[in-house]
Short mmCIF file of all heavy atoms in Angstrom, two decimals:
data_model
loop_
_atom_site.label_atom_id
_atom_site.label_comp_id
_atom_site.label_asym_id
_atom_site.label_seq_id
_atom_site.Cartn_x
_atom_site.Cartn_y
_atom_site.Cartn_z
N GLY A 94 -10.84 -42.21 -30.43
CA GLY A 94 -9.52 -42.60 -30.92
C GLY A 94 -8.56 -43.11 -29.88
O GLY A 94 -7.39 -43.32 -30.17
N LEU A 95 -9.04 -43.34 -28.65
CA LEU A 95 -8.12 -43.84 -27.62
C LEU A 95 -8.01 -45.36 -27.73
O LEU A 95 -8.94 -46.09 -27.42
CB LEU A 95 -8.58 -43.44 -26.22
CG LEU A 95 -7.63 -43.88 -25.09
CD1 LEU A 95 -6.31 -43.13 -25.18
CD2 LEU A 95 -8.26 -43.65 -23.73
N ASN A 96 -6.86 -45.84 -28.18
CA ASN A 96 -6.66 -47.28 -28.36
C ASN A 96 -5.94 -47.91 -27.18
O ASN A 96 -6.02 -49.11 -26.97
CB ASN A 96 -5.85 -47.55 -29.63
CG ASN A 96 -6.56 -47.01 -30.86
OD1 ASN A 96 -7.77 -47.14 -30.98
ND2 ASN A 96 -5.81 -46.38 -31.75
N GLU A 97 -5.22 -47.10 -26.43
CA GLU A 97 -4.43 -47.63 -25.33
C GLU A 97 -5.30 -47.89 -24.10
O GLU A 97 -6.26 -47.18 -23.85
CB GLU A 97 -3.32 -46.65 -24.93
CG GLU A 97 -2.19 -46.56 -25.93
CD GLU A 97 -2.59 -45.86 -27.21
OE1 GLU A 97 -3.62 -45.14 -27.21
OE2 GLU A 97 -1.89 -46.06 -28.23
N ASN A 98 -4.93 -48.91 -23.37
CA ASN A 98 -5.55 -49.15 -22.08
C ASN A 98 -4.84 -48.24 -21.07
O ASN A 98 -3.64 -48.37 -20.86
CB ASN A 98 -5.37 -50.62 -21.70
CG ASN A 98 -6.05 -50.96 -20.39
OD1 ASN A 98 -6.63 -50.08 -19.74
ND2 ASN A 98 -5.98 -52.21 -20.00
N ILE A 99 -5.58 -47.31 -20.49
CA ILE A 99 -4.92 -46.36 -19.60
C ILE A 99 -5.04 -46.75 -18.14
O ILE A 99 -4.58 -46.02 -17.25
CB ILE A 99 -5.42 -44.92 -19.82
CG1 ILE A 99 -6.90 -44.78 -19.46
CG2 ILE A 99 -5.16 -44.48 -21.25
CD1 ILE A 99 -7.31 -43.32 -19.34
N PHE A 100 -5.65 -47.91 -17.88
CA PHE A 100 -5.79 -48.38 -16.49
C PHE A 100 -4.41 -48.48 -15.84
O PHE A 100 -3.49 -49.08 -16.37
CB PHE A 100 -6.49 -49.76 -16.51
CG PHE A 100 -6.79 -50.29 -15.13
CD1 PHE A 100 -7.76 -49.67 -14.34
CD2 PHE A 100 -6.14 -51.39 -14.63
CE1 PHE A 100 -8.06 -50.15 -13.07
CE2 PHE A 100 -6.43 -51.89 -13.36
CZ PHE A 100 -7.39 -51.26 -12.58
N LYS A 101 -4.28 -47.82 -14.69
CA LYS A 101 -3.03 -47.78 -13.92
C LYS A 101 -1.86 -47.11 -14.64
O LYS A 101 -0.71 -47.23 -14.19
CB LYS A 101 -2.64 -49.19 -13.44
CG LYS A 101 -3.64 -49.72 -12.42
CD LYS A 101 -3.11 -50.87 -11.60
CE LYS A 101 -4.07 -51.18 -10.46
NZ LYS A 101 -3.87 -52.47 -9.85
N ARG A 102 -2.12 -46.40 -15.73
CA ARG A 102 -1.04 -45.69 -16.42
C ARG A 102 -0.94 -44.25 -15.90
O ARG A 102 -1.93 -43.67 -15.47
CB ARG A 102 -1.32 -45.63 -17.94
CG ARG A 102 -1.30 -46.99 -18.63
CD ARG A 102 0.03 -47.69 -18.56
NE ARG A 102 1.14 -46.89 -19.05
CZ ARG A 102 1.54 -46.86 -20.33
NH1 ARG A 102 0.91 -47.58 -21.24
NH2 ARG A 102 2.58 -46.12 -20.68
N HIS A 103 0.27 -43.71 -16.00
CA HIS A 103 0.49 -42.30 -15.69
C HIS A 103 0.33 -41.51 -16.99
O HIS A 103 1.17 -41.61 -17.88
CB HIS A 103 1.87 -42.09 -15.06
CG HIS A 103 1.98 -42.73 -13.71
ND1 HIS A 103 1.42 -42.16 -12.58
CD2 HIS A 103 2.55 -43.89 -13.30
CE1 HIS A 103 1.65 -42.93 -11.53
NE2 HIS A 103 2.34 -43.99 -11.95
N VAL A 104 -0.78 -40.79 -17.06
CA VAL A 104 -1.12 -40.10 -18.30
C VAL A 104 -0.75 -38.61 -18.21
O VAL A 104 -1.02 -37.96 -17.19
CB VAL A 104 -2.64 -40.23 -18.59
CG1 VAL A 104 -3.04 -39.41 -19.81
CG2 VAL A 104 -3.02 -41.70 -18.78
N VAL A 105 -0.11 -38.11 -19.26
CA VAL A 105 0.15 -36.67 -19.36
C VAL A 105 -0.57 -36.19 -20.62
O VAL A 105 -0.22 -36.57 -21.74
CB VAL A 105 1.65 -36.35 -19.46
CG1 VAL A 105 1.86 -34.83 -19.55
CG2 VAL A 105 2.41 -36.92 -18.27
N VAL A 106 -1.60 -35.38 -20.43
CA VAL A 106 -2.37 -34.87 -21.56
C VAL A 106 -1.66 -33.64 -22.11
O VAL A 106 -1.32 -32.73 -21.37
CB VAL A 106 -3.81 -34.49 -21.11
CG1 VAL A 106 -4.61 -33.99 -22.30
CG2 VAL A 106 -4.49 -35.68 -20.46
N LEU A 107 -1.44 -33.65 -23.42
CA LEU A 107 -0.75 -32.53 -24.08
C LEU A 107 -1.77 -31.75 -24.89
O LEU A 107 -2.38 -32.27 -25.83
CB LEU A 107 0.37 -33.05 -24.99
CG LEU A 107 1.47 -33.85 -24.28
CD1 LEU A 107 2.46 -34.41 -25.29
CD2 LEU A 107 2.19 -32.99 -23.24
N GLU A 108 -1.95 -30.48 -24.51
CA GLU A 108 -2.98 -29.65 -25.13
C GLU A 108 -2.34 -28.37 -25.66
O GLU A 108 -1.37 -27.86 -25.10
CB GLU A 108 -4.06 -29.36 -24.06
CG GLU A 108 -5.21 -28.49 -24.46
CD GLU A 108 -6.05 -28.98 -25.63
OE1 GLU A 108 -5.49 -29.23 -26.71
OE2 GLU A 108 -7.28 -29.07 -25.47
N ASP A 109 -2.88 -27.87 -26.76
CA ASP A 109 -2.35 -26.64 -27.34
C ASP A 109 -2.71 -25.42 -26.51
O ASP A 109 -1.87 -24.57 -26.23
CB ASP A 109 -2.82 -26.46 -28.80
CG ASP A 109 -4.34 -26.58 -28.95
OD1 ASP A 109 -5.04 -26.88 -27.96
OD2 ASP A 109 -4.84 -26.36 -30.07
N ILE A 110 -3.99 -25.35 -26.12
CA ILE A 110 -4.44 -24.15 -25.41
C ILE A 110 -5.62 -24.49 -24.52
O ILE A 110 -6.46 -25.30 -24.89
CB ILE A 110 -4.81 -23.02 -26.42
CG1 ILE A 110 -5.17 -21.72 -25.69
CG2 ILE A 110 -5.92 -23.45 -27.37
CD1 ILE A 110 -5.21 -20.50 -26.62
N ILE A 111 -5.65 -23.88 -23.36
CA ILE A 111 -6.81 -23.99 -22.48
C ILE A 111 -7.44 -22.61 -22.40
O ILE A 111 -6.79 -21.64 -22.01
CB ILE A 111 -6.43 -24.53 -21.10
CG1 ILE A 111 -5.94 -25.98 -21.26
CG2 ILE A 111 -7.62 -24.47 -20.14
CD1 ILE A 111 -5.41 -26.61 -20.00
N ASP A 112 -8.69 -22.56 -22.84
CA ASP A 112 -9.42 -21.31 -22.95
C ASP A 112 -10.50 -21.31 -21.85
O ASP A 112 -10.23 -20.93 -20.72
CB ASP A 112 -10.00 -21.26 -24.37
CG ASP A 112 -10.69 -19.97 -24.72
OD1 ASP A 112 -11.88 -19.83 -24.41
OD2 ASP A 112 -10.05 -19.10 -25.33
N SER A 113 -11.68 -21.84 -22.13
CA SER A 113 -12.70 -21.95 -21.08
C SER A 113 -12.36 -23.06 -20.09
O SER A 113 -12.84 -23.06 -18.96
CB SER A 113 -14.07 -22.23 -21.70
OG SER A 113 -14.10 -23.53 -22.24
N GLY A 114 -11.56 -24.02 -20.53
CA GLY A 114 -11.22 -25.17 -19.68
C GLY A 114 -12.21 -26.32 -19.80
O GLY A 114 -12.01 -27.38 -19.21
N LEU A 115 -13.27 -26.12 -20.58
CA LEU A 115 -14.32 -27.14 -20.66
C LEU A 115 -13.84 -28.39 -21.40
O LEU A 115 -14.13 -29.51 -20.99
CB LEU A 115 -15.57 -26.56 -21.34
CG LEU A 115 -16.22 -25.41 -20.56
CD1 LEU A 115 -17.31 -24.73 -21.38
CD2 LEU A 115 -16.80 -25.92 -19.24
N THR A 116 -13.08 -28.20 -22.46
CA THR A 116 -12.58 -29.36 -23.22
C THR A 116 -11.69 -30.23 -22.33
O THR A 116 -11.90 -31.44 -22.22
CB THR A 116 -11.76 -28.89 -24.44
OG1 THR A 116 -12.58 -28.05 -25.24
CG2 THR A 116 -11.28 -30.07 -25.27
N ILE A 117 -10.72 -29.61 -21.70
CA ILE A 117 -9.77 -30.39 -20.90
C ILE A 117 -10.46 -31.03 -19.70
O ILE A 117 -10.14 -32.16 -19.33
CB ILE A 117 -8.55 -29.52 -20.49
CG1 ILE A 117 -7.39 -30.40 -20.06
CG2 ILE A 117 -8.88 -28.53 -19.42
CD1 ILE A 117 -6.71 -31.14 -21.17
N SER A 118 -11.44 -30.36 -19.12
CA SER A 118 -12.16 -30.95 -17.98
C SER A 118 -12.87 -32.23 -18.40
O SER A 118 -12.86 -33.22 -17.67
CB SER A 118 -13.20 -29.98 -17.43
OG SER A 118 -12.56 -28.88 -16.88
N GLY A 119 -13.46 -32.21 -19.60
CA GLY A 119 -14.13 -33.40 -20.11
C GLY A 119 -13.15 -34.53 -20.32
O GLY A 119 -13.42 -35.69 -19.98
N VAL A 120 -11.99 -34.21 -20.86
CA VAL A 120 -10.95 -35.21 -21.10
C VAL A 120 -10.49 -35.82 -19.78
O VAL A 120 -10.40 -37.05 -19.64
CB VAL A 120 -9.74 -34.57 -21.83
CG1 VAL A 120 -8.56 -35.52 -21.88
CG2 VAL A 120 -10.12 -34.11 -23.23
N LEU A 121 -10.24 -34.98 -18.80
CA LEU A 121 -9.73 -35.46 -17.51
C LEU A 121 -10.75 -36.37 -16.83
O LEU A 121 -10.39 -37.42 -16.30
CB LEU A 121 -9.37 -34.27 -16.61
CG LEU A 121 -8.23 -33.39 -17.12
CD1 LEU A 121 -8.00 -32.23 -16.17
CD2 LEU A 121 -6.96 -34.19 -17.31
N ASP A 122 -12.03 -35.97 -16.88
CA ASP A 122 -13.08 -36.81 -16.27
C ASP A 122 -13.08 -38.20 -16.90
O ASP A 122 -13.14 -39.21 -16.20
CB ASP A 122 -14.46 -36.18 -16.48
CG ASP A 122 -14.66 -34.95 -15.61
OD1 ASP A 122 -13.83 -34.73 -14.70
OD2 ASP A 122 -15.62 -34.19 -15.86
N GLN A 123 -12.98 -38.23 -18.23
CA GLN A 123 -13.07 -39.53 -18.92
C GLN A 123 -11.85 -40.40 -18.65
O GLN A 123 -11.96 -41.62 -18.52
CB GLN A 123 -13.28 -39.31 -20.42
CG GLN A 123 -14.62 -38.62 -20.68
CD GLN A 123 -15.04 -38.62 -22.13
OE1 GLN A 123 -14.97 -39.63 -22.81
NE2 GLN A 123 -15.46 -37.46 -22.62
N PHE A 124 -10.68 -39.77 -18.52
CA PHE A 124 -9.47 -40.56 -18.22
C PHE A 124 -9.53 -41.12 -16.80
O PHE A 124 -9.13 -42.24 -16.55
CB PHE A 124 -8.21 -39.73 -18.40
CG PHE A 124 -7.84 -39.52 -19.84
CD1 PHE A 124 -6.82 -38.64 -20.18
CD2 PHE A 124 -8.49 -40.20 -20.86
CE1 PHE A 124 -6.48 -38.45 -21.51
CE2 PHE A 124 -8.15 -40.01 -22.18
CZ PHE A 124 -7.14 -39.13 -22.50
N ARG A 125 -10.02 -40.30 -15.88
CA ARG A 125 -10.08 -40.76 -14.49
C ARG A 125 -11.08 -41.90 -14.34
O ARG A 125 -10.82 -42.86 -13.62
CB ARG A 125 -10.40 -39.59 -13.56
CG ARG A 125 -9.18 -38.67 -13.47
CD ARG A 125 -9.33 -37.52 -12.50
NE ARG A 125 -8.12 -36.72 -12.52
CZ ARG A 125 -8.06 -35.42 -12.74
NH1 ARG A 125 -9.16 -34.73 -12.93
NH2 ARG A 125 -6.90 -34.80 -12.75
N GLU A 126 -12.20 -41.80 -15.06
CA GLU A 126 -13.19 -42.89 -15.05
C GLU A 126 -12.57 -44.20 -15.51
O GLU A 126 -13.00 -45.27 -15.11
CB GLU A 126 -14.35 -42.57 -16.01
CG GLU A 126 -15.45 -41.74 -15.42
CD GLU A 126 -16.41 -41.22 -16.50
OE1 GLU A 126 -16.51 -41.85 -17.57
OE2 GLU A 126 -17.03 -40.17 -16.26
N ARG A 127 -11.62 -44.11 -16.41
CA ARG A 127 -11.01 -45.33 -16.95
C ARG A 127 -9.87 -45.86 -16.10
O ARG A 127 -9.15 -46.77 -16.51
CB ARG A 127 -10.52 -45.08 -18.38
CG ARG A 127 -11.66 -44.86 -19.35
CD ARG A 127 -11.18 -44.38 -20.69
NE ARG A 127 -12.28 -43.75 -21.43
CZ ARG A 127 -12.51 -43.89 -22.72
NH1 ARG A 127 -11.72 -44.64 -23.45
NH2 ARG A 127 -13.51 -43.29 -23.29
N GLY A 128 -9.68 -45.27 -14.93
CA GLY A 128 -8.77 -45.85 -13.96
C GLY A 128 -7.30 -45.57 -14.15
O GLY A 128 -6.45 -46.37 -13.75
N ALA A 129 -6.97 -44.41 -14.74
CA ALA A 129 -5.55 -44.05 -14.84
C ALA A 129 -4.95 -43.90 -13.45
O ALA A 129 -5.63 -43.49 -12.51
CB ALA A 129 -5.42 -42.74 -15.62
N ALA A 130 -3.67 -44.24 -13.32
CA ALA A 130 -2.98 -44.09 -12.02
C ALA A 130 -2.86 -42.61 -11.68
O ALA A 130 -2.98 -42.21 -10.53
CB ALA A 130 -1.60 -44.74 -12.08
#
Side-chain angles (χ1 to χ4, degrees):
L95 183 66
N96 300 319
E97 288 71 19
N98 182 358
I99 64 166
F100 185 69
K101 294 198 170 163
R102 295 297 306 271
H103 293 284
V104 175
V105 181
V106 181
L107 300 175
E108 178 59 304
D109 52 355
I110 185 166
I111 295 175
D112 186 275
S113 70
L115 296 171
T116 303
I117 197 72
S118 294
V120 171
L121 296 178
D122 287 348
Q123 296 192 46
F124 284 171
R125 288 184 180 126
E126 274 168 25
R127 292 170 200 221

